[in-house]
Amino acid sequence: MRKNFIIKALCSFPAILIIGYFVPVLAVILALFRYVVYGKTHFYRTPVVLLIVGLLLLLPHGLELAMANFNFNLGIPYWAEIVAHPLYPKFTDYGKFLAIFAVILLVVTYVLRNFIEGLSSKFSSLMNGYYQDRAKREDEIEKEVKLESKVKEIESAQNTPHVVKCPSCGKTNHITGTVGRCKSCRSAIEYKAPKK
C-alpha cells in the first residue's frame, strides 16, 4: 500500500496541509489514514510536523499580541500589511486548528500506543505462562506413563509362567511368579532362577 503513488500523494504532508486549509475534516481523515499506511515507522512524526506548522502559522499572531501588550516594535518590514491582509485571520484560525489537532493526535497516539503495548505484553506473558504450564503438565503425564509402563513390565515379568519340576512327584508344572503348587501332588514348589 505504501508503494501506491496516489496513496503516497494523499498521505503526504503538503496534501494534508493544503486539503486541511479548505476541508479540515478531510485533513483529519487523511492524517488518520497516514497512521494506517505508515503506522510503525512514522508514529510520532505526523503530529509533530502538524504541531510545528501550526505554531509557525501562529507565530505572527503571537508576535502581534506581544507587541501590543509590551509596547515595542520589532522593526519587521511590511508588518502592518501582513497583519492587515484579509487572509491573516484565516491563517491564524488554521494554525490554531493544526496545533490543537496535533496535540490531540499526539496525546491519543501516546495513550493508545502505551495501552496497546501494555495489553500485548500482558497477553504475551499470559500465553507464555500457559505454554509453560502446558509443557510441565505434558512432562508430568509423560513421566506417569513411563512409570506405569515400567510397573506393567515388572508385573508381566512376575506373571510370566516358569517351568518347574516338582521335587516330590517329578512332574513338570507351569507356575507364575516364584512360588506355586504342584498340580498332581499339591506340594509346594519354588522357581529358582538360573545363576548367571
Side-chain angles (χ1 to χ4, degrees):
M1 198 149 80
R2 288 186 202 177
K3 301 196 187 262
N4 190 341
F5 176 74
I6 296 172
I7 292 176
K8 277 177 118 175
L10 283 175
C11 291
S12 67
F13 285 117
I16 292 173
L17 293 173
I18 292 170
I19 292 172
Y21 179 74
F22 297 108
V23 186
V25 174
L26 191 57
V28 171
I29 292 170
L30 287 176
L32 294 176
F33 186 61
R34 182 177 170 84
Y35 273 113
V36 173
V37 175
Y38 300 110
K40 298 282 183 192
T41 56
H42 305 301
F43 211 75
Y44 292 113
R45 186 181 292 178
T46 304
V48 167
V49 168
L50 291 176
L51 183 64
I52 290 171
V53 171
L55 292 176
L56 285 175
L57 288 174
L58 287 174
L59 187 64
H61 184 66
L63 287 174
E64 181 186 12
L65 289 175
M67 288 185 344
N69 288 338
F70 298 116
N71 294 326
F72 69 91
N73 189 3
L74 292 175
I76 300 174
Y78 305 108
W79 181 256
E81 289 84 8
I82 292 172
V83 175
H85 197 276
L87 289 178
Y88 175 71
K90 290 183 182 180
F91 277 120
T92 304
D93 292 342
Y94 182 55
K96 289 177 189 175
F97 162 72
L98 284 179
I100 292 170
F101 175 61
V103 168
I104 290 172
L105 201 59
L106 194 62
V107 168
V108 168
T109 56
Y110 178 76
V111 168
L112 281 179
R113 187 168 191 183
N114 287 340
F115 175 73
I116 290 170
E117 284 177 359
L119 194 64
S120 67
S121 68
K122 186 170 275 200
F123 180 73
S124 66
S125 67
L126 284 174
M127 290 305 291
N128 287 339
Y130 170 75
Y131 286 128
Q132 288 173 354
D133 289 344
R134 185 174 175 145
K136 272 187 192 175
R137 181 68 183 140
E138 287 176 359
D139 288 344
E140 290 173 2
I141 290 172
E142 187 177 331
K143 285 179 184 177
E144 288 176 8
V145 167
K146 283 182 181 178
L147 183 63
E148 286 177 7
S149 66
K150 283 184 181 179
V151 167
K152 285 182 182 178
E153 275 182 24
I154 292 171
E155 286 177 355
S156 67
Q158 288 177 348
N159 294 334
T160 305
H162 301 288
V163 178
V164 180
K165 195 172 198 179
C166 179
S168 302
C169 65
K171 197 140 193 182
T172 305
N173 292 295
H174 294 284
I175 62 168
T176 56
T178 55
V179 180
R181 292 218 172 257
C182 178
K183 291 188 180 174
S184 45
C185 68
R186 304 292 293 158
S187 62
I189 53 174
E190 182 179 356
Y191 171 73
K192 293 181 183 170
K195 293 181 181 178
K196 294 182 180 180

